Each structure stands twice: as C-alpha cells, then as structure tokens.
Amino acid sequence: KRLFHKGEFNLQKHLVLLTLVACIWFISPAIESFSNNKTTENRSPNKFLTINNADNGIRDAYINSRLNEFLPTTLEDTGSYFIIAKHSKKLLDVEGKDVYSGAKVHQWQYVGQPNQIFELTRVKDDWYKIVSTNSKKCLEFTVSDSQHVGSILHQSDFTGANNQLFQFKLTDDNQSFYIQNKQLQMVLDVAGVSYDNGAALQSWSYR
C-alpha cells in the first residue's frame, strides 16, 4: 500500500534505504574505518543511518521487516529521503515541524510528515547538503572551538559553509552509512544510543 501519491512532496519514486554509523536500523555491528578497509566490530550502533526514498511503502516495510531490501550503495546527485537510525528504526525529524533557523533535529517514530523528509543534494565532489523538505533549511552543526564532540544537529539557512556539508561513507557490508560532517570531521550520532522519541542527533567520533 502506497503512503504517498506520485509527486507528493516532489519526491522520487523508488524506496531506498541508507544507513549511518550512529543511527538507523540497517545496522550490522561491523563498520568501516574512514582510513582503511579493515572491518571492526566495536562500533557504536547509534552511528549507523539508512535512508530510503520517501515516495512509497515505508510503513509497510517497517511492519514486514523489509527495510533491508531497499538499501542503496550509492547516492544520486539529488533525492528526497527518510533518514532512519539503524538501531532504533526511528527517523530524523525536525522538532515540532519548526521552519525556523535553530530548530533541533532529533529522532522520532515514523509519522509520514514532511519534517521527516530530507533532500540530499550534491554540492561538490562527494559532499552533500541535507535540506528539510518542510522548512527548506539545511542541517548543520554549530562550529565551536570548545565543542566538536556532542554538538547538537539543527537546521539553518544554507551558506555553503563546511559545517553544513556531509559525506556518506558506506560500510563494508553495503547496508549502512556513516554521515560525516566536513567541518568537524565527526559523524551523526544518536545521543546515548537512545531508542526514545526525541533523542538528539549530535556529532561524535566514528570510533
């Protein structure tokens, strides 16, 4: 059963799933280091994220445990996606459907609203901006000399600065991604390996 009609939210057609290193269900505890090809088994599962095309079938896929049938190994130059924490099966969500700069991004159960849908657009090389379909604002980390670890993910107007650019690093099992911020050189991470609605997305070491 389709949850979205063709063209709704200007989304693409095919269900796709990606996984991050700190969040999202398509977890497999083995993750790739950015610097080598050796698999390790001690990565924190809250660093794995997955994405799937926001056009169709996500609720049925959750119910039938079929999310891993839709995992992509590459990203298009532009596409609209759900971003899902692999460990909790919860989606990245702009808090309160807020459209203003500074609104925090947390994880939340699937509700099928545009504040849970993000457009990934390649800016340069393999670096992408992540834009909320609801607010048209991009995700970023606050740049601070005193806090690179634990910086809270939020939305803001796009400036093209490095703290708004992200790279998707596929793990060696081709079932999840680390999402690395260019400025901080850290990855998206669900705080405290939480399974709860409202848990913050933060920057953290990928180790």
Side-chain angles (χ1 to χ4, degrees):
K1 180 180 178 180
R2 244 178 217 282
L3 297 176
F4 296 97
H5 297 293
K6 277 189 175 180
E8 187 172 356
F9 306 130
N10 295 319
L11 304 176
Q12 300 174 348
K13 294 181 178 179
H14 303 291
L15 181 66
V16 189
L17 287 176
L18 302 174
T19 57
L20 268 156
V21 88
C23 323
I24 302 183
W25 177 55
F26 317 106
I27 285 182
S28 171
I31 307 240
E32 282 294 302
S33 166
F34 292 139
S35 60
N36 59 56
N37 293 322
K38 294 181 179 179
T39 299
T40 59
E41 297 180 356
N42 60 352
R43 303 297 190 208
S44 179
N46 58 320
K47 293 181 175 65
F48 295 90
L49 295 173
T50 60
I51 68 175
N52 68 4
N53 190 292
D55 185 44
N56 61 334
I58 186 171
R59 185 183 294 276
D60 289 342
Y62 270 114
I63 292 172
N64 296 318
S65 299
R66 294 185 298 106
L67 286 175
N68 61 345
E69 293 181 12
F70 306 101
L71 296 177
T73 57
T74 60
L75 288 178
E76 299 176 5
D77 287 342
T78 300
S80 295
Y81 300 92
F82 296 107
I83 301 177
I84 306 163
K86 184 174 180 178
H87 73 294
S88 67
K89 302 183 187 177
K90 288 183 165 60
L91 283 69
L92 265 67
D93 174 293
V94 177
E95 188 174 23
K97 302 181 185 177
D98 203 330
V99 297
Y100 299 105
S101 293
K104 294 180 180 179
V105 178
H106 56 198
Q107 69 173 7
W108 202 266
Q109 68 192 45
Y110 170 74
V111 294
Q113 297 299 309
N115 65 312
Q116 294 185 328
I117 299 170
F118 298 91
E119 183 174 277
L120 308 182
T121 301
R122 188 189 303 271
V123 176
K124 184 179 180 180
D125 299 327
D126 290 329
W127 296 99
Y128 287 77
K129 62 179 178 179
I130 305 174
V131 177
S132 168
T133 300
N134 186 56
S135 65
K136 309 304 181 186
K137 295 187 182 296
C138 72
L139 304 191
E140 68 170 27
F141 285 115
T142 298
V143 178
S144 169
D145 291 338
S146 62
Q147 188 180 26
H148 282 190
V149 173
S151 180
I152 299 300
L153 189 68
H154 60 274
Q155 67 178 9
S156 188
D157 293 322
F158 182 66
T159 65
N162 287 343
N163 65 316
Q164 297 180 335
L165 300 180
F166 296 87
Q167 192 172 55
F168 290 75
K169 298 278 191 174
L170 187 66
T171 60
D172 65 337
D173 62 4
N174 293 328
Q175 292 189 353
S176 60
F177 289 82
Y178 303 98
I179 299 177
Q180 182 184 28
N181 182 261
K182 188 172 185 179
Q183 178 72 34
L184 301 184
Q185 292 297 301
M186 294 191 176
V187 299
L188 269 65
D189 174 285
V190 176
V193 200
S194 177
Y195 287 76
D196 297 335
N197 284 336
L201 270 291
Q202 64 181 5
S203 61
W204 208 263
S205 168
Y206 63 86
R207 295 187 182 279

